[in-house]
Amino acid sequence: MKRCFGHLLIALIAISVLSLAGPSLAADDKQDPLPSWNPGAAKQAILDFLRATTDKQGLKYVPPEQRIATFDQDGTLWVEHPMYTQIVFCLERVPTLVKEKTELKDEEPFKTVLTGDKEAIAKLSIDNLVKILVATHSGMTIDEFEAEVNRWLAKARHPRWNKPYTELAYQPMLEVLRAFRAAGYKTFIVTGGGQDFVRVYAEAIYGVPPEQVVGTMAATTYGYAKDGRPTLTKDAKLLHNDNFAGKPEGIHLLIGRRPFAAFGNSTGDQQMLEYTQAGSGARLMMLVHHDDAVREYAYGPDTHIGTFSDALMDEARSRSWTVISMKNDWRRVFAFEK
Amino acid sequence: MKRCFGHLLIALIAISVLSLAGPSLAADDKQDPLPSWNPGAAKQAILDFLRATTDKQGLKYVPPEQRIATFDQDGTLWVEHPMYTQIVFCLERVPTLVKEKTELKDEEPFKTVLTGDKEAIAKLSIDNLVKILVATHSGMTIDEFEAEVNRWLAKARHPRWNKPYTELAYQPMLEVLRAFRAAGYKTFIVTGGGQDFVRVYAEAIYGVPPEQVVGTMAATTYGYAKDGRPTLTKDAKLLHNDNFAGKPEGIHLLIGRRPFAAFGNSTGDQQMLEYTQAGSGARLMMLVHHDDAVREYAYGPDTHIGTFSDALMDEARSRSWTVISMKNDWRRVFAFEK
């Protein structure tokens, strides 16, 4: 399979072996589909929702074709600190890009990136990050882009764990994805990240096929290579920014149905959770709170850094969204932990 | 289920009853999954493709997760003459629209529509039709739009058969959709029509869920109603024109994988078929040729009207695409035929 590459394949096999070795993840009432979760309100909320919406006799039953669940990626399914993975990929491409398009070297945000000033780079706005994302991803065919991402993922390592980014998916959330699918839900990733970037590895890591990845979208242009073979080339034209209000808009654009469950971790996911909750019947809205400086990172309303604002925590409380405490709710964070 | 409405439900029940009464449509080698097809090259091409791509021992085997098939709608899955169904819907909305936005009455293409001159209206370009489509579909919430389409479909009748448009799906193609799904394919509609329009009825008529409808897309804007409830409002901003080169671009945008099979009937589908064929392994490219003036319509390369050009027929021959003769290949055209 084209989308697979050596490393991801190994990761996938490792995950499969773990699921065989550990407690079964089947959505069988007798067995625990969420073994990496500690007992508590968060775990219970997931189990109750899945039971209620698949119980044909119950009032909260959801017909199979309507079972849609959406998951933010960065900070919800995998590590987003100290920087979004895709931004690391993009930033490393900026010098090459500026060599090709010299006029960019005096333009922001490229100018800031070229200074190498980590603090300044870390402060770039989401709009500026999207600008970098679109610029560094354009001008190549979709096949070249996919190959480039695969090459990069195979060699890139997270600075803290010195592990491939693809191993930094949260084990408890991989179990949630599987439990939802076992209950007949279609699981979609709804990410502020580039749709084409996430699609490269989403199937191998998360079991989410490309057609179920919604993200920030750039246009492509259909044309013909020198040998007459049809090609799709990535443009520098942004079609859709899948953050904040863009998330429900992106969900409508690609899915066309309102989700019954939505998972996020930041203000960028707020509107997706509001939109989910506004539907009738059972709805599940959950936010991952990064409060575990030992096993991962601590940031959020209590630390006043990051994008889990006080206002978001207030909204979560007032709307009865369930906040997942990484520290208390997750027995294990990564698959590679013993 | 919200997306259902009385009429479609009846149509769906009618189709289910027919499939029970008629030969079984299960993809069982002993039974014919395509009973409305006459024996011939077209029927054989479909059966051979499905057998080859699902045969684990064969060289043309396609893993289940990669099984994607795309279908144009107008003229491929249902009647498109004398006018695209959605255009009829749009044109009937133009007077209301012009009452709200009086400045449009002197602007093309609205001016032409208001004259009521059928010949002039029939000659409007695809770009002008898209302009009408976007203008008449904007300013309402997605729920209001869905309700409006449902109301219209329930009362609108095709001028020739005096039947609801939803009964004018081609029975042989409904069987093809089912046969592909029975073989593990995800069936997508890839239409030049409005994505939100087709999504309203695609599940009831074709068994294709909203998330598998790719079409011409307008933006939406997320906001809040007076009561604070989140809403998505349809904008007049065109995001993607899903015709010609727009079809492979739309496939990449929403699906992110190359189809293994593609069905169309016009120059608007040409690039989708080229893109499909450019993949490795078994690929199936088919074009419906409307050559049946008795049971439906005759138009195409031999009549020099419509959008099945001589150039398309030449390309089909030179690239070995299979042309379906409605007259010879289809034993029955509509479910309501005896």
PDB file of all heavy atoms in Angstrom, chain B residues 274-291:
ATOM      1  N   GLU B 274      -9.917  10.157 -16.840  1.00  0.00           N
ATOM      2  CA  GLU B 274      -8.467  10.155 -17.127  1.00  0.00           C
ATOM      3  C   GLU B 274      -7.682   9.924 -15.836  1.00  0.00           C
ATOM      4  O   GLU B 274      -6.732   9.134 -15.793  1.00  0.00           O
ATOM      5  CB  GLU B 274      -8.021  11.508 -17.702  1.00  0.00           C
ATOM      6  CG  GLU B 274      -8.488  11.798 -19.096  1.00  0.00           C
ATOM      7  CD  GLU B 274      -8.158  13.239 -19.517  1.00  0.00           C
ATOM      8  OE1 GLU B 274      -7.584  13.993 -18.703  1.00  0.00           O
ATOM      9  OE2 GLU B 274      -8.493  13.601 -20.661  1.00  0.00           O
ATOM     10  N   TYR B 275      -8.076  10.658 -14.801  1.00  0.00           N
ATOM     11  CA  TYR B 275      -7.383  10.584 -13.510  1.00  0.00           C
ATOM     12  C   TYR B 275      -7.505   9.179 -12.921  1.00  0.00           C
ATOM     13  O   TYR B 275      -6.553   8.620 -12.387  1.00  0.00           O
ATOM     14  CB  TYR B 275      -7.992  11.623 -12.570  1.00  0.00           C
ATOM     15  CG  TYR B 275      -7.388  11.678 -11.192  1.00  0.00           C
ATOM     16  CD1 TYR B 275      -6.058  12.021 -11.006  1.00  0.00           C
ATOM     17  CD2 TYR B 275      -8.156  11.414 -10.055  1.00  0.00           C
ATOM     18  CE1 TYR B 275      -5.503  12.089  -9.732  1.00  0.00           C
ATOM     19  CE2 TYR B 275      -7.614  11.484  -8.781  1.00  0.00           C
ATOM     20  CZ  TYR B 275      -6.284  11.819  -8.626  1.00  0.00           C
ATOM     21  OH  TYR B 275      -5.740  11.881  -7.367  1.00  0.00           O
ATOM     22  N   THR B 276      -8.688   8.591 -13.052  1.00  0.00           N
ATOM     23  CA  THR B 276      -8.918   7.227 -12.567  1.00  0.00           C
ATOM     24  C   THR B 276      -8.016   6.248 -13.308  1.00  0.00           C
ATOM     25  O   THR B 276      -7.334   5.415 -12.696  1.00  0.00           O
ATOM     26  CB  THR B 276     -10.402   6.848 -12.769  1.00  0.00           C
ATOM     27  OG1 THR B 276     -11.200   7.771 -12.018  1.00  0.00           O
ATOM     28  CG2 THR B 276     -10.687   5.428 -12.325  1.00  0.00           C
ATOM     29  N   GLN B 277      -7.982   6.383 -14.619  1.00  0.00           N
ATOM     30  CA  GLN B 277      -7.203   5.449 -15.441  1.00  0.00           C
ATOM     31  C   GLN B 277      -5.695   5.556 -15.182  1.00  0.00           C
ATOM     32  O   GLN B 277      -4.967   4.576 -15.374  1.00  0.00           O
ATOM     33  CB  GLN B 277      -7.486   5.729 -16.923  1.00  0.00           C
ATOM     34  CG  GLN B 277      -6.871   4.699 -17.866  1.00  0.00           C
ATOM     35  CD  GLN B 277      -7.444   4.802 -19.267  1.00  0.00           C
ATOM     36  OE1 GLN B 277      -7.828   5.880 -19.716  1.00  0.00           O
ATOM     37  NE2 GLN B 277      -7.528   3.686 -19.972  1.00  0.00           N
ATOM     38  N   ALA B 278      -5.240   6.723 -14.768  1.00  0.00           N
ATOM     39  CA  ALA B 278      -3.797   6.943 -14.587  1.00  0.00           C
ATOM     40  C   ALA B 278      -3.229   6.191 -13.386  1.00  0.00           C
ATOM     41  O   ALA B 278      -2.011   6.144 -13.200  1.00  0.00           O
ATOM     42  CB  ALA B 278      -3.502   8.439 -14.459  1.00  0.00           C
ATOM     43  N   GLY B 279      -4.092   5.602 -12.559  1.00  0.00           N
ATOM     44  CA  GLY B 279      -3.598   4.804 -11.436  1.00  0.00           C
ATOM     45  C   GLY B 279      -3.122   3.438 -11.909  1.00  0.00           C
ATOM     46  O   GLY B 279      -3.436   3.014 -13.021  1.00  0.00           O
ATOM     47  N   SER B 280      -2.387   2.745 -11.057  1.00  0.00           N
ATOM     48  CA  SER B 280      -1.879   1.425 -11.441  1.00  0.00           C
ATOM     49  C   SER B 280      -2.937   0.355 -11.172  1.00  0.00           C
ATOM     50  O   SER B 280      -3.915   0.597 -10.480  1.00  0.00           O
ATOM     51  CB  SER B 280      -0.605   1.122 -10.648  1.00  0.00           C
ATOM     52  OG  SER B 280      -0.904   1.224  -9.267  1.00  0.00           O
ATOM     53  N   GLY B 281      -2.731  -0.820 -11.714  1.00  0.00           N
ATOM     54  CA  GLY B 281      -3.640  -1.943 -11.486  1.00  0.00           C
ATOM     55  C   GLY B 281      -4.935  -1.804 -12.267  1.00  0.00           C
ATOM     56  O   GLY B 281      -5.019  -1.056 -13.226  1.00  0.00           O
ATOM     57  N   ALA B 282      -5.944  -2.567 -11.833  1.00  0.00           N
ATOM     58  CA  ALA B 282      -7.229  -2.596 -12.546  1.00  0.00           C
ATOM     59  C   ALA B 282      -7.971  -1.281 -12.360  1.00  0.00           C
ATOM     60  O   ALA B 282      -8.091  -0.793 -11.235  1.00  0.00           O
ATOM     61  CB  ALA B 282      -8.078  -3.738 -12.005  1.00  0.00           C
ATOM     62  N   ARG B 283      -8.454  -0.728 -13.429  1.00  0.00           N
ATOM     63  CA  ARG B 283      -9.255   0.503 -13.346  1.00  0.00           C
ATOM     64  C   ARG B 283     -10.417   0.350 -14.322  1.00  0.00           C
ATOM     65  O   ARG B 283     -10.248  -0.198 -15.413  1.00  0.00           O
ATOM     66  CB  ARG B 283      -8.429   1.735 -13.734  1.00  0.00           C
ATOM     67  CG  ARG B 283      -7.145   1.924 -12.953  1.00  0.00           C
ATOM     68  CD  ARG B 283      -7.345   2.572 -11.586  1.00  0.00           C
ATOM     69  NE  ARG B 283      -6.165   2.348 -10.739  1.00  0.00           N
ATOM     70  CZ  ARG B 283      -5.935   2.964  -9.586  1.00  0.00           C
ATOM     71  NH1 ARG B 283      -6.801   3.840  -9.105  1.00  0.00           N
ATOM     72  NH2 ARG B 283      -4.852   2.696  -8.892  1.00  0.00           N
ATOM     73  N   LEU B 284     -11.573   0.866 -13.944  1.00  0.00           N
ATOM     74  CA  LEU B 284     -12.757   0.764 -14.797  1.00  0.00           C
ATOM     75  C   LEU B 284     -13.288   2.157 -15.101  1.00  0.00           C
ATOM     76  O   LEU B 284     -13.596   2.925 -14.190  1.00  0.00           O
ATOM     77  CB  LEU B 284     -13.838  -0.058 -14.087  1.00  0.00           C
ATOM     78  CG  LEU B 284     -15.142  -0.281 -14.868  1.00  0.00           C
ATOM     79  CD1 LEU B 284     -14.907  -1.172 -16.092  1.00  0.00           C
ATOM     80  CD2 LEU B 284     -16.210  -0.895 -13.967  1.00  0.00           C
ATOM     81  N   MET B 285     -13.338   2.503 -16.390  1.00  0.00           N
ATOM     82  CA  MET B 285     -13.853   3.805 -16.821  1.00  0.00           C
ATOM     83  C   MET B 285     -15.042   3.570 -17.740  1.00  0.00           C
ATOM     84  O   MET B 285     -14.905   2.865 -18.734  1.00  0.00           O
ATOM     85  CB  MET B 285     -12.769   4.597 -17.577  1.00  0.00           C
ATOM     86  CG  MET B 285     -11.639   5.134 -16.710  1.00  0.00           C
ATOM     87  SD  MET B 285     -10.559   3.872 -15.978  1.00  0.00           S
ATOM     88  CE  MET B 285     -10.006   2.984 -17.428  1.00  0.00           C
ATOM     89  N   MET B 286     -16.204   4.145 -17.394  1.00  0.00           N
ATOM     90  CA  MET B 286     -17.394   3.898 -18.205  1.00  0.00           C
ATOM     91  C   MET B 286     -18.172   5.185 -18.459  1.00  0.00           C
ATOM     92  O   MET B 286     -18.239   6.067 -17.605  1.00  0.00           O
ATOM     93  CB  MET B 286     -18.290   2.853 -17.520  1.00  0.00           C
ATOM     94  CG  MET B 286     -17.584   1.507 -17.354  1.00  0.00           C
ATOM     95  SD  MET B 286     -18.675   0.132 -16.876  1.00  0.00           S
ATOM     96  CE  MET B 286     -19.442  -0.297 -18.431  1.00  0.00           C
ATOM     97  N   LEU B 287     -18.749   5.262 -19.649  1.00  0.00           N
ATOM     98  CA  LEU B 287     -19.553   6.430 -20.026  1.00  0.00           C
ATOM     99  C   LEU B 287     -20.936   5.980 -20.469  1.00  0.00           C
ATOM    100  O   LEU B 287     -21.053   5.067 -21.307  1.00  0.00           O
ATOM    101  CB  LEU B 287     -18.889   7.181 -21.192  1.00  0.00           C
ATOM    102  CG  LEU B 287     -17.611   7.974 -20.886  1.00  0.00           C
ATOM    103  CD1 LEU B 287     -16.950   8.414 -22.192  1.00  0.00           C
ATOM    104  CD2 LEU B 287     -17.907   9.185 -19.995  1.00  0.00           C
ATOM    105  N   VAL B 288     -21.970   6.591 -19.922  1.00  0.00           N
ATOM    106  CA  VAL B 288     -23.336   6.306 -20.359  1.00  0.00           C
ATOM    107  C   VAL B 288     -23.614   7.115 -21.630  1.00  0.00           C
ATOM    108  O   VAL B 288     -23.433   8.332 -21.650  1.00  0.00           O
ATOM    109  CB  VAL B 288     -24.362   6.694 -19.264  1.00  0.00           C
ATOM    110  CG1 VAL B 288     -25.792   6.505 -19.783  1.00  0.00           C
ATOM    111  CG2 VAL B 288     -24.128   5.894 -17.991  1.00  0.00           C
ATOM    112  N   HIS B 289     -24.022   6.414 -22.682  1.00  0.00           N
ATOM    113  CA  HIS B 289     -24.347   7.081 -23.938  1.00  0.00           C
ATOM    114  C   HIS B 289     -25.879   7.093 -24.103  1.00  0.00           C
ATOM    115  O   HIS B 289     -26.502   6.032 -24.166  1.00  0.00           O
ATOM    116  CB  HIS B 289     -23.677   6.346 -25.107  1.00  0.00           C
ATOM    117  CG  HIS B 289     -23.923   7.003 -26.418  1.00  0.00           C
ATOM    118  ND1 HIS B 289     -23.865   6.321 -27.606  1.00  0.00           N
ATOM    119  CD2 HIS B 289     -24.244   8.287 -26.742  1.00  0.00           C
ATOM    120  CE1 HIS B 289     -24.139   7.154 -28.604  1.00  0.00           C
ATOM    121  NE2 HIS B 289     -24.368   8.343 -28.102  1.00  0.00           N
ATOM    122  N   HIS B 290     -26.422   8.282 -24.163  1.00  0.00           N
ATOM    123  CA  HIS B 290     -27.883   8.431 -24.274  1.00  0.00           C
ATOM    124  C   HIS B 290     -28.304   8.299 -25.729  1.00  0.00           C
ATOM    125  O   HIS B 290     -28.319   9.270 -26.471  1.00  0.00           O
ATOM    126  CB  HIS B 290     -28.318   9.775 -23.693  1.00  0.00           C
ATOM    127  CG  HIS B 290     -28.055   9.887 -22.232  1.00  0.00           C
ATOM    128  ND1 HIS B 290     -29.048   9.757 -21.278  1.00  0.00           N
ATOM    129  CD2 HIS B 290     -26.904  10.050 -21.535  1.00  0.00           C
ATOM    130  CE1 HIS B 290     -28.512   9.867 -20.070  1.00  0.00           C
ATOM    131  NE2 HIS B 290     -27.210  10.057 -20.198  1.00  0.00           N
ATOM    132  N   ASP B 291     -28.638   7.070 -26.127  1.00  0.00           N
ATOM    133  CA  ASP B 291     -28.986   6.794 -27.527  1.00  0.00           C
ATOM    134  C   ASP B 291     -30.366   6.155 -27.608  1.00  0.00           C
ATOM    135  O   ASP B 291     -30.644   5.366 -28.486  1.00  0.00           O
ATOM    136  CB  ASP B 291     -27.919   5.883 -28.157  1.00  0.00           C
ATOM    137  CG  ASP B 291     -27.730   4.577 -27.380  1.00  0.00           C
ATOM    138  OD1 ASP B 291     -28.425   4.384 -26.347  1.00  0.00           O
ATOM    139  OD2 ASP B 291     -26.898   3.752 -27.780  1.00  0.00           O
TER     140      ASP B 291
END
